[in-house]
Amino acid sequence: MAPDPAVELDWSLGSYAARLADWDAAVRTARSISGSGPKVSHAERTEMREQLTGQVERAESLVAECTGITVGGFRSRAWVMGRGDWTRQNLKGLQRAIEPLAKRIAERRPSSQTEKHTIARKALGVQVGALLGYVSRRVLGQVDMFLPPDDDGLIYFIGPNLVEVERTFSLSAADFRLWVAIHEVTHRVQFSGAPWLRAELMRLVDAYLNSVSLDSKELMEQLGRALEELRPGGGAPGGILRLLTPEQRELFHRTQAMMSLIEGHASYVMNVVAQDVVDDLPRLQAALARRRAVGGWEKRVQRAIGFDQKVAQYDAGERFVGSVVERIGMPGFNLVWSEPGNMPRPGEIEEPDRWIARVVG
């Protein structure tokens, strides 16, 4: 008997996030924006994989020596991937993260197979794909906090982007890749040394998603507050914060303080360790600074998605780490990894003495 074409099969396997957006459209959009990057021969790809495998292992020892924190569990492993692979992995992580919100939306709107919903799914997929497609051109490496436990220790390196930076600025591939490997391995060390860190970040993400209102009246009131604060004399922060409720703003500031610390610490360790193991560190730093200094349409895109603000926050985090280590040493700084309450609070990143007074006494 032929299947009834009016009956649509559910391939989501129970996933609400899979029904929320057209993830195939996201992949297609991301691919069209990201491009494949510079041409890399098979021999060059093989060499990069072998090189980064050894450099990740070496970086793990160097970072442990610098920080006093050793990695437990699975060993750190390099996965050299293309931009498309990176996009697909991050789409999987995004779906896992938004599953609770997607469930709330599905339960509120059970009749999902409408033309209006189909258009909305595709539009959301295109928007997500466009964002990830752009970011896939910029990121060099990543420790994915959404990976399942069996993949713990896996570190992404986006091969085309590494090659692009090396060729553009005529850098030593061995030195640049080791430098990037140190940064990413430091993230691995952070999550290993503070087993609660991953769960705390997920708790903040879940709290934010649970705070998202599905009531159209509340959403209109929220937009009304944003317009009110845009008036002359409005004292609210700019950008996305104007669209957040007071509860969401608090979560946003707490998350940003934590991310500033995590990224700033990785940058600090990356540069301290590199002083003894890579040649011409100032040249590498200058190249990365020049790569960040985009203009034209790309600068507008970065401003729209908050990319420029993230760079500034991470620089502030690096200054925080350096200032604390200078005052009380690395063992004193490492108190930050002892428990969630020792993470910097909003405002403490800019004023390290406040953190020291609260945590160290």
Side-chain angles (χ1 to χ4, degrees), residues 27 34 79-92 136 142 144 156-158 160:
V27 171
S34 68
W79 179 3
V80 181
M81 56 172 53
R83 292 171 179 173
D85 294 324
W86 181 88
T87 298
R88 283 186 288 273
Q89 288 300 116
N90 277 269
L91 282 172
K92 291 178 184 177
S136 73
Q142 179 189 9
D144 188 349
Y156 304 158
F157 293 94
I158 297 73

Side-chain angles (χ1 to χ4, degrees), residues 131 134 239-240 297-309:
L131 174 62
Y134 172 75
I240 191 175
W297 69 269
E298 194 167 2
K299 186 173 184 178
R300 292 193 293 273
V301 169
Q302 290 195 3
R303 186 181 296 117
I305 66 177
F307 210 86
D308 56 338
Q309 293 181 5

Side-chain angles (χ1 to χ4, degrees), residues 186-202:
T186 301
H187 285 316
R188 173 82 207 289
V189 167
Q190 292 165 349
F191 285 106
S192 181
W196 52 265
L197 183 58
R198 192 184 305 267
E200 180 66 10
L201 281 169
M202 286 303 304

Side-chain angles (χ1 to χ4, degrees), residues 24-272:
D24 290 335
V27 171
R28 291 193 298 271
T29 304
R31 185 186 299 120
S32 67
I33 291 175
S34 68
S36 58
K39 297 294 183 182
V40 182
S41 69
H42 177 74
E44 288 173 317
R45 288 196 297 271
T46 300
E47 180 187 16
M48 181 182 291
R49 284 194 294 268
E50 293 175 351
Q51 189 176 62
L52 280 167
T53 295
Q55 287 175 332
V56 163
E57 183 177 346
R58 183 186 180 194
E60 197 169 277
S61 298
L62 292 169
V63 172
E65 183 179 351
C66 175
T67 63
I69 304 172
T70 55
V71 172
F74 295 104
R75 63 181 179 83
S76 299
R77 309 178 306 285
W79 179 3
V80 181
M81 56 172 53
R83 292 171 179 173
D85 294 324
W86 181 88
T87 298
R88 283 186 288 273
Q89 288 300 116
N90 277 269
L91 282 172
K92 291 178 184 177
L94 178 61
Q95 290 182 63
R96 285 191 287 267
I98 67 172
E99 181 69 14
L101 176 61
K103 182 179 180 181
R104 288 173 58 206
I105 293 173
E107 290 173 344
R108 189 178 181 88
R109 186 186 54 202
S111 55
S112 59
Q113 302 305 323
T114 65
E115 182 179 355
K116 183 178 179 181
H117 176 55
T118 300
I119 295 172
R121 284 184 72 248
K122 187 172 291 292
L124 181 57
V126 169
Q127 290 170 10
V128 171
L131 174 62
L132 286 179
Y134 172 75
V135 176
S136 73
R137 299 168 63 99
R138 307 298 303 176
V139 68
L140 299 173
Q142 179 189 9
V143 171
D144 188 349
M145 62 175 285
F146 296 114
L147 281 175
D150 286 351
D151 288 329
D152 184 37
L154 204 58
I155 300 176
Y156 304 158
F157 293 94
I158 297 73
N161 296 351
L162 291 171
V163 170
E164 187 173 64
V165 175
E166 293 159 5
R167 292 178 181 175
T168 300
F169 300 104
S170 301
L171 302 179
S172 160
D175 282 343
F176 183 64
R177 294 168 192 177
L178 177 59
W179 193 44
V180 174
I182 292 168
H183 184 276
E184 300 308 326
V185 167
T186 301
H187 285 316
R188 173 82 207 289
V189 167
Q190 292 165 349
F191 285 106
S192 181
W196 52 265
L197 183 58
R198 192 184 305 267
E200 180 66 10
L201 281 169
M202 286 303 304
R203 187 186 68 78
L204 291 173
V205 171
D206 289 342
Y208 172 78
L209 293 177
N210 285 331
S211 74
V212 174
S213 174
L214 304 182
D215 184 271
S216 58
K217 181 181 178 181
E218 289 185 33
L219 285 173
M220 291 305 296
E221 290 176 351
Q222 197 167 325
L223 289 172
R225 286 195 300 271
L227 292 174
E228 181 67 26
E229 291 165 352
L230 280 169
R231 290 182 177 181
I240 191 175
L241 295 187
R242 294 195 182 101
L243 299 177
L244 302 183
T245 66
E247 178 190 2
Q248 290 168 343
R249 287 184 187 181
E250 181 183 355
L251 289 167
F252 179 85
H253 286 307
R254 287 169 60 191
T255 304
Q256 289 300 96
M258 183 177 290
M259 293 306 300
S260 292
L261 183 281
I262 290 171
E263 288 293 341
H265 177 250
S267 294
Y268 173 84
V269 171
M270 156 192 207
N271 289 319
V272 168

